[in-house]
Amino acid sequence: MTLRYGWTTGACATAATTAAYTALLTGAFPDPVEIVLPKGQRPTFALAVEELTAQSATAGVVKDAGDDPDVTHGALVRATVTPGPAGSGVLFRAGSGVGTVTKPGLPLPVGEPAINPVPRRMMRAAVTEVATRLGGTGDAVVEISVDNGEELARRTWNPRLGIVGGLSILGTTGIVVPYSCSAWIDSIRRGIDVARAAGREHVAGCTGSTSERVAAELYGLPEDALLDMGDFVGAVLKHLRRHPVSRLTIAGGIGKLSKLAEGHLDLHSGRSQVDLRAMAETVRAAGGDGELVARVAAANTALEALGHCQAAGLPLGDLIAERARRTAVGVLREAPVTVDVLVIDRAGTVVGRAPV
C-alpha cells in the first residue's frame, strides 16, 4: 500500500500568505493558490478562509498531512497580511495558536515567533514573487495563526522546549512524509538492497535532508547510496549486519546522534529523549570544568549544549560522534562494515566527526 504524502504547516502558511498578499494588492484571492516548494515542486492549495478589509487580508488553508498521523492534520492555518513600513521587507508575527520562543538553543532568537527558518524563507520568496508580478513593494507584516493551536501544542514537545502559546510553523521541504514504522523500515531495507545491487561500497544513513546533502557533498555519494533513515538507525544497522557494504556513514544533528551515543536505535522524540545529564557527564569525563558541566546539564537543547562547549573549546560534537560510532559498531557485531559518524548543525556545518 502506497502512503499519501501531505503538506507541512510551513507550506500551508506560505500558501495562505501568497493568497492574502495577492488579495491585499488586487482585491481578489487566488483560489486555488500555487506555491513553489524548496525542491521546486509547485502544489496548489484550496482556500478555506477569505477575509479582506481596507488595510488587511486574511487567507486560511486546512492542513492535509496525508497518511501521516500528524497532530496538526486538519488544522486551519491562517495568514493575515498588512502593509509593512517602507524598506522593512517581510516581518513575522505570531497570531493566535502560534508559539513564541522563550528559551535559547532553538534556531530562532528568544522572543521570536516560532516560525522556523525554511518556512520564513518560503514566505519571503512568495511575497517577493507576488510583489514583482503585481507591482507591490514587498514590505509586509505577516501574522500566522492556527485555530486551536495552543491546545494542539500541548500534545507536542513545544512546552518543554520553551515555545509557549501555541505550535511551531515547521517544514524543510514543504512535504510531510507519512510516518509508518513498517513502511519506512521496509524502504530502508530496499534502499540498502538497491545500493548493493548497484555495486555501492559506501552508503550514508541520514536523519534528514540537511545531513543527506552534507554527506553527499562531502563524499561524492550518488543518490542510490543515500539512505533516508529518519529516526530508524537501528533498521539500517541490522540490515547491514546481514547484508553488509564496506563502509557506512551515519549523519545527523547532535540531538538525534546523542541518543544513538546513549544506545538508542529509534531516535524519534516519542520513543527516546536527549539525555542532557549524560551529555554533561561526557563533558566532565573529557575534562570540562564544573561550570561547563552545569551549563550543559541545564541546557534547553543539545544544540545549546554544543554551543556552550564550542565556546569553551571542548569538542562535544566529536565526543558524541565517537560514542555514536561505538554503538553502531556494537550493533553491527562482526559484520565487515567500517563506520564513521558526522554530526552537523542546522546550517549543515560539520560540528563533530568520528573517523573510520
Side-chain angles (χ1 to χ4, degrees):
M1 175 181 174
T2 301
L3 297 177
R4 189 170 60 89
Y5 284 25
W7 310 113
T8 63
T9 48
C12 296
T14 301
T17 297
T18 303
Y21 188 52
T22 301
L24 190 67
L25 297 182
T26 67
F29 291 88
D31 187 11
V33 57
E34 182 181 85
I35 65 170
V36 181
L37 298 182
K39 292 187 177 181
Q41 304 98 323
R42 304 182 73 95
T44 57
F45 296 77
L47 298 185
V49 171
E50 298 179 9
E51 298 172 0
L52 183 63
T53 71
Q55 289 297 315
S56 71
T58 299
V61 171
V62 175
K63 176 176 174 177
D64 178 1
D67 289 326
D68 188 75
D70 192 307
V71 68
T72 56
H73 176 68
L76 179 58
V77 181
R78 302 175 189 253
T80 298
V81 181
T82 55
S88 64
V90 179
L91 304 175
F92 294 99
R93 301 287 183 267
S96 175
V98 171
T100 298
V101 177
T102 67
K103 292 183 180 181
L106 297 169
L108 297 166
V110 170
E112 278 292 305
I115 303 170
N116 271 23
V118 172
R120 288 181 185 231
R121 289 199 295 270
M122 291 169 62
M123 284 181 266
R124 286 193 176 103
V127 167
T128 298
E129 188 279 328
V130 172
T132 300
R133 179 162 45 86
L134 299 177
T137 65
D139 299 318
V141 178
V142 176
E143 180 181 285
I144 304 298
S145 59
V146 180
D147 287 18
N148 204 35
E150 189 165 5
E151 181 178 338
L152 291 173
R154 296 190 186 103
R155 297 158 57 188
T156 73
W157 285 94
N158 277 15
R160 180 173 293 185
L161 294 175
I163 298 172
V164 301
L167 294 161
S168 303
I169 303 301
L170 303 172
T172 57
T173 65
I175 298 172
V176 174
V177 177
Y179 174 79
S180 167
C181 291
S182 60
W184 201 319
I185 289 170
D186 185 64
S187 295
I188 289 169
R189 292 169 177 161
R190 299 294 77 77
I192 292 171
D193 294 343
V194 167
R196 282 166 48 87
R200 306 302 178 197
E201 295 295 330
H202 183 185
V203 299
C206 307
T207 60
S209 58
T210 302
S211 56
E212 182 177 284
R213 174 179 58 80
V214 171
E217 292 176 354
L218 188 60
Y219 296 119
L221 294 174
E223 187 175 23
D224 61 5
L226 301 171
L227 307 173
D228 179 12
M229 71 180 185
D231 296 312
F232 302 112
V233 62
V236 172
L237 295 169
K238 292 172 186 177
H239 199 64
L240 284 175
R241 188 169 67 204
R242 297 187 296 271
H243 308 282
V245 297
S246 296
R247 182 176 176 187
L248 167 67
T249 295
I250 298 172
I254 191 166
K256 288 189 183 295
L257 293 189
S258 73
K259 299 179 187 180
L260 178 60
E262 293 303 313
H264 297 288
L265 301 182
D266 184 337
L267 309 182
H268 190 274
S269 60
R271 294 177 292 279
S272 62
Q273 298 178 25
V274 173
D275 189 340
L276 288 163
R277 292 192 177 277
M279 198 175 292
E281 287 305 311
T282 298
V283 170
R284 186 193 307 278
D289 62 28
E291 180 181 355
L292 179 59
V293 171
R295 294 181 75 185
V296 168
N300 184 40
T301 64
L303 200 59
E304 183 186 357
L306 175 66
H308 292 323
C309 291
Q310 288 174 323
L314 190 145
L316 179 62
D318 291 341
L319 297 172
I320 294 299
E322 177 55 31
R323 293 188 63 207
R325 192 187 72 84
R326 291 176 192 167
T327 298
V329 170
V331 175
L332 287 166
R333 299 176 188 167
E334 302 302 320
V337 181
T338 56
V339 180
D340 65 290
V341 176
L342 299 175
V343 181
I344 63 169
D345 64 14
R346 293 181 183 273
T349 301
V350 177
V351 295
R353 198 165 184 176
V356 175

